[in-house]
């Protein structure tokens, strides 16, 4: 079962503050949760506390450009699976080839229509969902998520994972527990690290298997 848009968290990385704001506003209007960063180094710092469902990234940026950032993402097993879209003013074929070879799943040239961007995001997330379901259900719906037996959750993490399993978005969980959304994201990230799972969908399935939820 695919997630609703409000359960998808996107990391948007661009050094142009105007474009960053416009794209963030449009994607949030479409129902996504969006975290922003001004360059690759800021984005890597953000990934310490969150695991987005997709990264949308400019290429030419100060501090750390998109190529270097995505290479680091692809080398980290805990986040290497995240789908990546490159946004770039360089639209020539050799630029697209380089971007895809570095590890991007989609390459969009600037300027672009917001509707096309949103459609590409939705398409990429659907494809990621299909791959996840295929990998998790090689023998059908009864296949189990494998997690070490000695994983222990804190009482707060247990509350969070129960709400994740009910299909609540991070901001809804934050409202329910009367904490900040960033606190919820930190708990989810900690649980992903503890369990070795990749995303909220796997966490929810594991919680149900363990009768936590």
């Amino acid at each position: 079962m695919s997630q609703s848009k409000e359960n998808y968290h996107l990391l948007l990385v661009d050094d142009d503050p105007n474009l960053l704001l416009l794209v963030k506003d449009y994607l949030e209007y479409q129902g996504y949760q969006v975290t922003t960063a001004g360059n690759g180094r800021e984005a890597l710092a953000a990934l310490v506390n969150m695991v987005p469902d997709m990264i949308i990234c400019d290429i030419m940026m100060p501090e750390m450009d998109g190529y270097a950032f995505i290479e680091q993402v692809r080398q980290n097993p805990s986040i290497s699976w995240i789908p990546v879209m490159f946004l770039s003013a360089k639209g020539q074929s050799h630029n697209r080839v380089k971007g895809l070879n570095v590890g991007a799943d989609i390459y969009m040239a600037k300027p672009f229509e917001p509707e096309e961007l949103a459609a590409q995001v939705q398409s990429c997330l659907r494809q990621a969902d299909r791959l996840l379901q295929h990998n998790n259900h090689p023998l059908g719906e009864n296949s189990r998520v494998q997690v070490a037996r000695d994983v222990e959750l804190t009482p707060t993490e247990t509350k969070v994972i129960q709400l994740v399993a009910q299909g609540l978005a991070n901001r809804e969980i934050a409202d329910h527990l009367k904490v900040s959304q960033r606190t919820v994201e930190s708990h989810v990230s900690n649980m992903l690290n503890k369990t070795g799972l990749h995303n909220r969908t796997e966490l929810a399935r594991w919680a149900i298997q363990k009768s936590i939820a």
Side-chain angles (χ1 to χ4, degrees), residues 195-210:
T195 59
L197 298 174
H198 297 103
N199 52 42
R200 294 166 54 94
T201 304
E202 290 186 353
L203 273 178
R205 187 172 297 124
W206 176 67
I208 293 169
Q209 285 175 193
K210 294 282 288 182

Side-chain angles (χ1 to χ4, degrees), residues 48 58 73 76 88 137:
V48 172
D58 186 24
V73 169
N76 185 336
S88 177
H137 305 295

Side-chain angles (χ1 to χ4, degrees), residues 38-51:
N39 57 58
R41 200 170 302 283
E42 287 183 16
L44 283 178
L47 288 172
V48 172
N49 298 313
M50 61 168 288
V51 180

